[in-house]
């Protein structure tokens, strides 16, 4: 509550005051959001979105939800990348059998 969430999708879904559905180019969207007043940018999306943002080095924190369903197959969340990204766990939350993990990127010492 009180935060705007952006869901990048190709589907036509009506937005609300706090949840914005968009198919805007990620680089353009993030550039536009960074120019607006406010602190954090929250973007919800699947593997394609995550991997595009990783490639652009635009993720400061990861919120990963573990939902108790074994799919058997599916789309990997992370593609292979040229660099290792070290994370630090900063919060966990458990509700309705779901576990939310919040990580921030650790500063590289390289």
């Amino acid at each position: 509550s009180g935060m705007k969430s952006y869901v990048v999708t190709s589907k036509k879904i009506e937005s609300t005051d706090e949840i914005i559905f968009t198919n805007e180019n990620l680089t353009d969207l993030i550039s536009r959001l960074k120019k607006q007043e406010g602190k954090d940018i929250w973007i919800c999306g699947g593997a394609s979105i995550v991997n595009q943002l990783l490639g652009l080095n635009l993720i400061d924190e990861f919120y990963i939800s573990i939902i108790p369903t074994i799919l058997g197959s599916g789309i990997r969340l992370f593609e292979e990348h040229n660099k290792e990204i070290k994370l630090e766990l900063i919060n966990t939350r458990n509700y309705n059998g779901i576990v939310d993990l919040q990580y921030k990127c650790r500063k590289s010492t390289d």
Side-chain angles (χ1 to χ4, degrees), residues 3-102:
M3 292 177 22
K4 284 198 186 264
S5 293
Y6 291 80
V7 180
V8 179
T9 179
S10 59
K11 297 179 182 176
K12 300 265 186 198
I13 303 172
E14 189 170 333
S15 297
T16 67
D17 288 339
E18 292 186 345
I19 301 175
I20 311 300
F21 295 92
T22 182
N23 65 355
E24 188 174 352
N25 172 284
L26 276 178
T27 304
D28 295 342
L29 172 63
I30 292 171
S31 176
R32 182 174 58 80
L33 292 175
K34 284 186 171 191
K35 293 175 185 172
Q36 295 178 4
E37 187 175 319
K39 183 181 174 206
D40 296 325
I41 299 172
W42 174 274
I43 299 177
C44 297
S48 174
I49 300 300
V50 169
N51 286 296
Q52 288 177 63
L53 294 172
L54 281 173
L56 296 168
N57 198 30
L58 291 174
I59 299 179
D60 300 318
E61 292 185 7
F62 293 85
Y63 290 77
I64 300 172
S65 296
I66 299 173
I67 300 171
T69 303
I70 298 174
L71 299 175
S73 66
I75 300 169
R76 291 175 57 154
L77 181 55
F78 302 104
E79 294 174 354
E80 290 185 27
H81 292 276
N82 292 334
K83 63 178 183 172
E84 179 180 79
I85 301 170
K86 295 187 184 228
L87 305 175
E88 177 183 341
L89 180 65
I90 57 176
N91 193 24
T92 61
R93 187 174 138 210
N94 179 359
Y95 57 96
N96 298 329
I98 298 170
V99 177
D100 285 340
L101 305 168
Q102 180 182 0

